[in-house]
Amino acid sequence: MLSTAREVSVFGDAIAYFNEAAELLDLDAGTRRILTKPSRQIIFSIPFQRDSGELEVYTGYRVQYSFARGPAKGGVRFHPGVTLDEVTALAFWMTWKCAVVDLPFGGGKGGVTCDPIKLSPGELERVTRRYAAELVEVVGPDKDVPAPDVGTTPQIMAWFMDTYSMHIRQHTPGVVTGKPLEVGGSRGRVEATGRGVSLTTLAQMKEMGMTPKGARVAVQGFGNVGSIATQMFADHGCTIVGISDVTGGYYNEKGLDVGGAIAYAQEHHSLDGYRGGERITNAQLLELPCDVLVPAALEKVLTADNAAHVQAKLVVEGANGPTTPEADRIFNERGIVVIPDILANAGGVTVSYFEWAQDRNGYFWKESEVNDRLADVLHTNFTEIRQVSSLRSVPLRTAAYMLAIDRVVKAMKMRGMYA
Ligand code: GLU
C-alpha cells in the first residue's frame, strides 16, 4: 500500500515516537504489535459529476485505528496530498490525542485525495455526500465520529450529517462533530483548536518564565487553527512577527496587524497579496528570530535540514506531525521545548467531544461553559504530562505518549481479547 519514501515516513515517524515511549513503559511485544496496526482501513472510489457534466473519480479513505477507549474519532481531510499512509498516521495520532486528554474515544481519520479549492460548492457537496454514503455502515455516534480537518468545513459536516440521517431515516447529529450551530454544532467548536494552542502555549510560557506581553510569535498556517491562535496570542499582548499560508509568509519585527490579516484572508481566501509585512517564504518563517514558533499547517515541515536554524525557545505543534523525529532530537539537544501535537491541538477534538455529548442529550451549553471545560481538560492533562516528564526525565512529547499509551493499554487489557 505504501508507494513512496515520503509516504512511508509519515506513519513511520509516528511509529518512531510511539516506540520510544513504549520502550520506557516496558510494553510487551504483543501489545506493541497490536498498537502499531490499524483496526480497519477502508478505501473506496468516489465517482461524481462535475458541473461541466464530465465524470470524475476520487479516492476516499477512512481509517479506524483504535476502538479500545470508545468509538473511533477524527477529522476528514480534503487535500491533494492525501494517501492511505497519511490517513493511517493521522488516525494513529488521533488515538493518542483522544487518550492524552482522556476522552472516551478511540482514533480515526478520513480523507479524499482532491483539491477542494478547485471544486464548486455543488461539486463539493456531491463529493461529500458520496463519501458519507460509502461510510454509512461503519460510522455513527457509537461507531466512528468524523469531524473537520484540513480542507473541510462545518458546511461539509452538515452535508455529511444530512446524508447519514437520510440513509438511516433518523436525525443523527452525533454522527459528526464540527457542524454549524444550526444543525447541532457546539458553541466554541470553530475556535477550539486555536484556543487550545494558545492555552497550552500560555501555560508553558509561564512555566518557562516568559511573559506573553511582547513575546515574539511566528505562526505557520493561517487556516482555522493558525488564524485563531494568532488572534488569541495578539489578544494576550504577544507580538506576532510572522504569519504564512500556502501562498507564502509575511514578517514584521515590530508586529503584524492580526485583525487586518484575518480580514484580508477572509476577503481574498488567502493571504496572497497582503501588504502588512515583508514578504518571506514558508521556509524562512520557520527560522525567524522569535520566542515561540507555531507550525499550524501540515506535517513534516521541521526536519533535520532546518531544525538547527530554528530560533524559537518554544515550538507549539498546532498541526499534526509537523516535526520529524530527527528534528525533534535536535530540538531536545538544543533545549528547545516542544508542546507536542497530541496535546497542543487537542482543543478541537475536546470540544468535538462536548458537541457529541450535547447532541446525545439534545441540550446545548453556553460558550463560556464550553471554554471553561476546555481549559480544565487541557490544564488537568498538561499537568499530568508534566509530572511524567519530570518523574521520568523525558521531553513533553515522550511523556504525553507514555500517558496516552498507558491509558489505551489499560482499556485494552480490561476489555481482554475477543477471539
Ligand atoms: N481534525 C482535528 C484533529 O486533528 C479534529 C478532530 C475531531 O474533532 O474529531 O484533531
Side-chain angles (χ1 to χ4, degrees):
M1 298 288 176
L2 309 171
S3 49
T4 71
R6 183 199 158 265
E7 289 163 25
V8 171
S9 55
V10 183
F11 189 41
D13 283 1
I15 298 272
Y17 288 134
F18 169 88
N19 280 337
E20 203 181 317
E23 200 65 44
L24 290 162
L25 287 169
D26 264 333
L27 208 62
D28 63 275
T31 306
R32 280 194 215 195
R33 216 169 285 137
I34 293 172
L35 288 175
T36 48
K37 286 256 188 294
S39 285
R40 190 186 274 161
Q41 293 171 300
I42 306 159
I43 312 176
F44 48 93
S45 291
I46 303 179
F48 76 103
Q49 192 164 33
R50 287 254 180 205
D51 292 344
S52 64
E54 199 187 331
L55 298 179
E56 182 99 63
V57 186
Y58 287 155
T59 304
Y61 306 91
R62 185 75 189 167
V63 176
Q64 299 171 329
Y65 199 91
S66 168
F67 298 99
R69 289 171 50 91
K73 182 83 193 86
V76 180
R77 180 171 291 198
F78 284 5
H79 190 270
V82 164
T83 61
L84 176 64
D85 187 69
E86 183 194 46
V87 177
T88 305
L90 291 162
F92 177 81
W93 279 319
M94 283 311 300
T95 306
W96 314 120
K97 192 187 298 184
C98 290
V100 90
V101 285
D102 216 2
L103 308 182
F105 290 130
K109 203 81 171 201
V112 178
T113 314
C114 70
D115 190 349
I117 297 162
K118 298 205 176 112
L119 296 176
S120 71
E123 290 170 337
L124 203 54
E125 178 173 352
R126 292 194 287 282
V127 170
T128 302
R129 288 191 184 276
R130 184 64 184 238
Y131 178 79
E134 286 292 333
L135 292 172
V136 164
E137 284 88 359
V138 293
V139 295
D142 293 308
K143 294 181 179 179
D144 179 6
V145 186
D149 194 75
V150 174
T152 53
T153 58
Q155 172 64 75
I156 289 175
M157 297 305 116
W159 289 326
F160 191 111
M161 181 278 280
D162 181 70
T163 308
Y164 179 84
S165 297
M166 294 301 287
H167 270 263
I168 73 155
R169 297 261 168 245
Q170 185 166 309
H171 181 58
T172 316
V175 65
V176 278
T177 57
K179 299 178 296 299
L181 285 182
E182 293 78 0
V183 291
S186 173
R187 294 188 178 84
R189 175 62 185 87
V190 170
E191 299 81 10
T193 313
R195 179 176 296 276
V197 167
S198 79
L199 284 172
T200 51
T201 305
L202 293 169
Q204 185 58 30
M205 284 170 82
K206 196 164 167 200
E207 202 72 17
M208 293 165 70
M210 293 159 75
T211 29
K213 190 140 187 47
R216 296 163 307 161
V217 180
V219 182
Q220 182 186 55
F222 213 62
N224 175 252
V225 183
S227 66
I228 287 166
T230 303
Q231 179 69 67
M232 290 183 182
F233 288 132
D235 292 346
H236 279 86
C238 300
T239 303
I240 309 301
V241 293
I243 55 173
S244 73
D245 70 5
V246 70
T247 65
Y250 300 87
Y251 171 62
N252 185 342
E253 64 173 331
K254 295 202 173 63
L256 297 156
D257 162 24
V258 175
I262 290 177
Y264 186 93
Q266 259 159 12
E267 194 185 328
H268 299 86
H269 306 291
S270 81
L271 284 169
D272 200 18
Y274 175 65
R275 297 199 181 279
E278 183 190 324
R279 198 100 169 82
I280 53 170
T281 63
N282 262 293
Q284 287 170 320
L285 181 122
L286 299 170
E287 301 178 11
L288 283 182
C290 64
D291 303 300
V292 180
L293 173 65
V294 185
L298 291 173
E299 41 301 0
K300 291 168 75 61
V301 293
L302 294 165
T303 65
D305 296 334
N306 60 9
H309 309 300
V310 166
Q311 301 193 47
K313 302 180 201 55
L314 175 62
V315 173
V316 184
E317 296 183 331
N320 292 309
T323 311
T324 65
E326 298 77 34
D328 205 45
R329 212 165 299 128
I330 296 169
F331 290 154
N332 289 333
E333 279 162 17
R334 295 184 56 211
I336 296 172
V337 177
V338 179
I339 308 183
D341 47 8
I342 58 172
L343 174 72
N345 70 39
V349 73
T350 302
V351 176
S352 276
Y353 164 52
F354 298 159
E355 179 174 333
W356 177 80
Q358 291 171 80
D359 287 339
R360 293 169 77 103
N361 279 319
Y363 179 75
F364 291 85
W365 311 348
K366 287 191 295 196
E367 187 166 352
S368 57
E369 185 168 358
V370 170
N371 292 344
D372 289 351
R373 287 188 191 226
L374 170 62
D376 183 48
V377 166
L378 294 177
H379 286 139
T380 303
N381 290 290
F382 200 174
T383 304
E384 278 207 52
I385 293 168
R386 268 206 206 92
Q387 279 161 357
V388 177
S389 164
S390 67
L391 215 65
R392 302 294 300 261
S393 305
V394 291
L396 292 173
R397 187 192 311 279
T398 314
Y401 269 84
M402 287 172 75
L403 187 64
I405 294 169
D406 187 52
R407 287 175 176 168
V408 172
V409 169
K410 279 189 177 131
M412 266 172 74
K413 298 241 153 114
M414 278 170 201
R415 294 176 71 141
M417 178 86 63
Y418 183 69

